[in-house]
PDB file of all heavy atoms in Angstrom:
ATOM      1  N   ALA A 116      -0.525   2.685  22.517  1.00  0.00           N
ATOM      2  CA  ALA A 116       0.103   3.857  21.800  1.00  0.00           C
ATOM      3  C   ALA A 116       1.609   3.668  21.889  1.00  0.00           C
ATOM      4  O   ALA A 116       2.109   3.254  22.914  1.00  0.00           O
ATOM      5  CB  ALA A 116      -0.377   5.169  22.389  1.00  0.00           C
ATOM      6  N   ASP A 136      -0.304   1.374  27.425  1.00  0.00           N
ATOM      7  CA  ASP A 136      -0.518  -0.061  27.259  1.00  0.00           C
ATOM      8  C   ASP A 136      -2.024  -0.415  27.159  1.00  0.00           C
ATOM      9  O   ASP A 136      -2.843   0.425  27.461  1.00  0.00           O
ATOM     10  CB  ASP A 136       0.149  -0.815  28.434  1.00  0.00           C
ATOM     11  CG  ASP A 136       0.558  -2.227  28.103  1.00  0.00           C
ATOM     12  OD1 ASP A 136       0.127  -2.732  26.993  1.00  0.00           O
ATOM     13  OD2 ASP A 136       1.223  -2.831  28.879  1.00  0.00           O
ATOM     14  N   THR A 142      -2.891 -12.174  28.487  1.00  0.00           N
ATOM     15  CA  THR A 142      -2.365 -13.505  28.735  1.00  0.00           C
ATOM     16  C   THR A 142      -3.475 -14.569  28.547  1.00  0.00           C
ATOM     17  O   THR A 142      -4.604 -14.389  29.086  1.00  0.00           O
ATOM     18  CB  THR A 142      -1.784 -13.598  30.192  1.00  0.00           C
ATOM     19  OG1 THR A 142      -0.851 -12.543  30.319  1.00  0.00           O
ATOM     20  CG2 THR A 142      -1.144 -14.950  30.386  1.00  0.00           C
ATOM     21  N   TYR A 157       9.521  -2.014  11.554  1.00  0.00           N
ATOM     22  CA  TYR A 157      10.070  -2.043  12.879  1.00  0.00           C
ATOM     23  C   TYR A 157       9.019  -2.015  13.930  1.00  0.00           C
ATOM     24  O   TYR A 157       9.116  -2.612  14.957  1.00  0.00           O
ATOM     25  CB  TYR A 157      11.024  -0.882  13.049  1.00  0.00           C
ATOM     26  CG  TYR A 157      12.419  -1.133  12.384  1.00  0.00           C
ATOM     27  CD1 TYR A 157      12.906  -0.231  11.476  1.00  0.00           C
ATOM     28  CD2 TYR A 157      13.180  -2.214  12.698  1.00  0.00           C
ATOM     29  CE1 TYR A 157      14.076  -0.435  10.846  1.00  0.00           C
ATOM     30  CE2 TYR A 157      14.377  -2.438  12.144  1.00  0.00           C
ATOM     31  CZ  TYR A 157      14.858  -1.545  11.185  1.00  0.00           C
ATOM     32  OH  TYR A 157      16.094  -1.778  10.575  1.00  0.00           O
ATOM     33  N   LEU A 174      -1.402 -15.196  18.596  1.00  0.00           N
ATOM     34  CA  LEU A 174      -1.081 -13.788  18.259  1.00  0.00           C
ATOM     35  C   LEU A 174      -1.008 -13.761  16.725  1.00  0.00           C
ATOM     36  O   LEU A 174      -0.158 -14.448  16.075  1.00  0.00           O
ATOM     37  CB  LEU A 174       0.264 -13.378  18.822  1.00  0.00           C
ATOM     38  CG  LEU A 174       0.705 -11.952  18.517  1.00  0.00           C
ATOM     39  CD1 LEU A 174      -0.280 -10.880  19.069  1.00  0.00           C
ATOM     40  CD2 LEU A 174       2.106 -11.699  19.015  1.00  0.00           C
ATOM     41  N   THR A 176      -1.468 -10.690  13.252  1.00  0.00           N
ATOM     42  CA  THR A 176      -1.502  -9.298  12.889  1.00  0.00           C
ATOM     43  C   THR A 176      -2.398  -9.056  11.749  1.00  0.00           C
ATOM     44  O   THR A 176      -2.583  -9.890  10.807  1.00  0.00           O
ATOM     45  CB  THR A 176      -0.042  -8.806  12.549  1.00  0.00           C
ATOM     46  OG1 THR A 176       0.292  -9.443  11.261  1.00  0.00           O
ATOM     47  CG2 THR A 176       0.936  -9.198  13.592  1.00  0.00           C
ATOM     48  N   LYS A 182       3.836  -1.484   2.596  1.00  0.00           N
ATOM     49  CA  LYS A 182       4.707  -1.049   1.539  1.00  0.00           C
ATOM     50  C   LYS A 182       5.896  -1.950   1.454  1.00  0.00           C
ATOM     51  O   LYS A 182       6.908  -1.753   2.063  1.00  0.00           O
ATOM     52  CB  LYS A 182       5.298   0.368   1.816  1.00  0.00           C
ATOM     53  CG  LYS A 182       4.305   1.467   1.753  1.00  0.00           C
ATOM     54  CD  LYS A 182       4.994   2.805   2.078  1.00  0.00           C
ATOM     55  CE  LYS A 182       4.136   3.955   2.051  1.00  0.00           C
ATOM     56  NZ  LYS A 182       4.852   5.164   2.533  1.00  0.00           N
ATOM     57  N   ARG A 185       9.529  -0.917   1.150  1.00  0.00           N
ATOM     58  CA  ARG A 185      10.151  -0.174   2.277  1.00  0.00           C
ATOM     59  C   ARG A 185      10.562  -1.101   3.419  1.00  0.00           C
ATOM     60  O   ARG A 185      11.188  -0.656   4.350  1.00  0.00           O
ATOM     61  CB  ARG A 185       9.137   0.903   2.805  1.00  0.00           C
ATOM     62  CG  ARG A 185       8.805   1.991   1.834  1.00  0.00           C
ATOM     63  CD  ARG A 185       9.657   3.173   2.029  1.00  0.00           C
ATOM     64  NE  ARG A 185       9.721   3.539   3.398  1.00  0.00           N
ATOM     65  CZ  ARG A 185      10.638   4.370   3.939  1.00  0.00           C
ATOM     66  NH1 ARG A 185      11.522   4.901   3.086  1.00  0.00           N
ATOM     67  NH2 ARG A 185      10.625   4.642   5.193  1.00  0.00           N
ATOM     68  N   LEU A 209      -4.617   7.347   8.208  1.00  0.00           N
ATOM     69  CA  LEU A 209      -3.212   7.720   7.939  1.00  0.00           C
ATOM     70  C   LEU A 209      -3.122   9.274   7.852  1.00  0.00           C
ATOM     71  O   LEU A 209      -4.010   9.926   7.257  1.00  0.00           O
ATOM     72  CB  LEU A 209      -2.750   7.115   6.619  1.00  0.00           C
ATOM     73  CG  LEU A 209      -2.630   5.564   6.685  1.00  0.00           C
ATOM     74  CD1 LEU A 209      -2.824   4.999   5.283  1.00  0.00           C
ATOM     75  CD2 LEU A 209      -1.233   5.189   7.205  1.00  0.00           C
TER      76      LEU A 209
END
Side-chain angles (χ1 to χ4, degrees):
D136 206 349
T142 307
Y157 284 122
L174 179 64
T176 69
K182 289 181 181 173
R185 296 264 315 163
L209 292 151

